[in-house]
Amino acid sequence: MNHTMVINSVDGTGTNSNFFIDLVVGVEPKVISLLSANIPTDTNNTSGGFYYLYIPEFGVTVKNSAAESVATFAVPNHAALGSRAIYNEALNFTQNSSYVSGSAISRLTVIIKNADGSIATDMGAVQIIVKLTY
């Protein structure tokens, strides 16, 4: 069974680049797939051509060049700085994260990181769409 979940930073508590959302119903997916991400870019960010999307409740699958687990998904930035980094699985590459906790998730923590690992500057609302497979 699959469900689509829309995660919007304006619905969360915190900043647009570091927030949490309490879920009305707990979820316990086996696989989480990133379908879409829309992240505003910082006009001064010179740390790299992508963002790390870190949702610890969904597990960690992205490793950096030092083989350290650092994020759940990577979002390539093909836009000019000061625009928006748009990810769409049909245009780029498919990303899945396996979840094997054994307990339902009732809160999602979302942290947008620059390529250097620092938390991205809050430049506006972030929208993320994921597919949850049970």
Side-chain angles (χ1 to χ4, degrees):
M1 177 176 9
N2 295 319
H3 286 102
T4 301
M5 175 184 284
V6 176
I7 302 169
N8 192 334
S9 64
V10 299
D11 297 330
T13 302
T15 69
N16 286 305
S17 56
N18 188 357
F19 63 95
F20 68 87
I21 295 176
D22 289 318
L23 304 177
V24 177
V25 176
V27 296
E28 194 175 345
K30 301 299 179 208
V31 177
I32 302 94
S33 302
L34 180 62
L35 300 180
S36 176
N38 185 336
I39 301 172
T41 63
D42 185 348
T43 55
N44 298 313
N45 179 14
T46 59
S47 67
F50 63 94
Y51 289 93
Y52 288 126
L53 175 54
Y54 181 46
I55 307 174
E57 295 84 359
F58 284 166
V60 178
T61 59
V62 176
K63 295 183 183 287
N64 64 13
S65 58
E68 303 164 322
S69 295
V70 295
T72 311
F73 303 108
V75 178
N77 180 20
H78 301 296
L81 294 179
S83 185
R84 296 187 77 85
I86 306 293
Y87 171 89
N88 181 319
E89 73 165 347
L91 300 177
N92 294 290
F93 57 98
T94 302
Q95 298 184 76
N96 298 313
S97 178
S98 297
Y99 174 75
V100 288
S101 167
S103 60
I105 301 169
S106 58
R107 173 178 278 189
L108 292 180
T109 307
V110 179
I111 303 170
I112 309 299
K113 297 181 181 181
N114 295 314
D116 65 6
S118 62
I119 295 178
T121 303
D122 182 349
M123 299 303 293
V126 172
Q127 297 87 30
I128 303 159
I129 302 174
V130 293
K131 179 175 75 174
L132 308 176
T133 304
Y134 297 89

